[in-house]
Amino acid sequence: MSSSKRRPGLRKYSRFGGSLFSVLTTLFLLVLLTFVIGRLMPVDPVIAVVGPDADQATYLKVKEELGLNLPVMQQFWIFLKNLLHGDFGTTLLTGRPVMEDIVRVLPATVELATVTIILGAGIGIPLGVYAAVNRGRFADHAVRLIALLGHSTPIFWIGMVGLMLFYAKLGWVGGSGRLDLFYEDVVPGVTGFLLIDSLLAGDMDVFWSAVTHIILPASVLAYASIAYISRITRSFMLEQLSQEYVITARAKGVSRRGVIWLHAFKNIRVQLVTVVALSYGGMLEGAVLIETVFGWPGFGQYLTNALVIGDMNVVVACTLIIGCVFIALNVISDLLYKFLDPRIK
């Protein structure tokens, strides 16, 4: 085989090696910075364990057991060695392994974020397209007003108003948590996603309870997502609709629907993939306020509680997982780019 035929393969492996090195370096720096900053925070995790009334001997003993009497970099080295063996340590509050807690709370946030992004992208993208093709008209102004309100209104306030109106007043949706109390632990946890687990178990009562509990927090989060995605989509579409190829298509007699969806929209799909992927990642880490308002036992609330008491095993583990999620979303986005636009290699 000639060297000219081997070069493309070598370049492919070289790009893969470079990407892998970049990912590992990013994750290492992410863990290092999070760990060091966490140790420098003015929060004493020992107090969270022994309480403020503990005597000095107990305080020092627990501090030594937690390894907090060691220099910061030595603590980091020990943490890193355990991490490489898949051990994130134990939580300060419950004493359980960190991964055990994360496996319990992460599906709740992923489920909420997934329903949210389906609503956000499913409504936001058509709204943005509709506003762009009706530029300057009433529909355009209405969509822009929706986007403006979505950006400027505090999301926790919308959540509280929604709870008062749709739960307390009208009784249309469930209250706090993921299920009504009497449905807790009724279906076996296969995936951790209650909507799926209840369907797998064939228990429609649990399924509808899960639906009524998730629909309001997902809708509130989706409103902010709709505001962002519709605004970006409108901007992308306006740029495409002013291109010469669109004018040419119209001149050739292509229908209005064909010009919009088969020509203009086709050329913004790759950009929208990036927007939707970043929005999805942002929800996984940024749903803290909604999880707090709705008592949603998710990842964001778990991370926030750990930050308050300085539980760095949890904080670093959660940060690392968030970093991995964003990297995974980037990889998925790259694959979708190639599927949507074969010219991208």
Side-chain angles (χ1 to χ4, degrees), residues 4-18:
S4 60
K5 291 183 178 179
R6 289 198 298 266
R7 281 174 187 166
L10 289 174
R11 283 199 295 269
K12 184 178 179 181
Y13 287 121
S14 177
R15 283 200 299 270
F16 176 76

Side-chain angles (χ1 to χ4, degrees), residues 15 27 29 39 48 57 85 94 96 123 151 161 168 170 188 198 209 246 281 292-293 304-305 315 323:
R15 283 200 299 270
L27 292 177
L29 292 176
R39 284 290 180 257
H85 290 87
T94 64
R96 289 196 297 262
I123 298 174
H151 280 299
V161 171
L170 300 174
S198 56
S209 177
V246 171
T292 303
V293 170
T304 305
N305 292 336
V315 174

Side-chain angles (χ1 to χ4, degrees), residues 214-292:
I214 200 172
I215 192 65
L216 185 57
S219 299
V220 173
L221 266 177
Y223 179 47
S225 179
I226 289 168
Y228 174 66
I229 293 175
S230 64
R231 184 177 176 185
I232 296 295
T233 304
R234 177 183 180 275
S235 176
F236 289 160
M237 281 297 291
L238 285 177
E239 182 182 351
Q240 292 299 320
L241 290 172
S242 64
Q243 299 293 317
E244 290 184 358
Y245 75 88
V246 171
I247 299 172
T248 304
R250 285 172 175 161
K252 287 183 175 180
V254 178
S255 67
R256 175 183 167 88
R257 180 174 296 180
V259 169
I260 294 170
W261 294 105
L262 299 181
H263 290 272
F265 183 75
K266 188 177 179 181
N267 285 330
I268 70 168
R269 292 181 303 177
V270 171
Q271 296 155 292
L272 285 179
V273 166
T274 304
V275 172
V276 173
L278 291 178
S279 298
Y280 185 68
M283 286 172 201
L284 292 178
E285 64 168 337
V288 178
L289 289 175
I290 286 301
E291 289 185 358
T292 303

Side-chain angles (χ1 to χ4, degrees), residues 150-194:
H151 280 299
S152 58
T153 309
I155 197 165
F156 70 88
W157 183 84
I158 300 176
M160 293 173 68
V161 171
L163 266 179
M164 284 191 293
L165 179 62
F166 296 108
Y167 169 65
K169 187 76 176 176
L170 300 174
W172 290 356
V173 299
S176 63
R178 302 176 70 188
L179 285 173
D180 292 326
L181 281 178
F182 44 88
Y183 290 129
E184 294 282 353
D185 300 323
V186 169
V187 297
V190 179
T191 64
F193 307 117
L194 283 176

Side-chain angles (χ1 to χ4, degrees), residues 74-111:
Q74 188 175 348
Q75 293 178 40
F76 177 71
W77 175 244
I78 295 171
F79 179 85
L80 194 60
K81 284 197 298 184
N82 292 333
L83 182 64
L84 292 175
H85 290 87
D87 181 9
F88 286 91
T90 56
T91 64
L92 294 180
L93 278 180
T94 64
R96 289 196 297 262
V98 173
M99 279 310 295
E100 190 176 308
D101 279 354
I102 289 179
V103 167
R104 178 174 53 84
V105 299
L106 186 59
T109 297
V110 172
E111 187 175 46

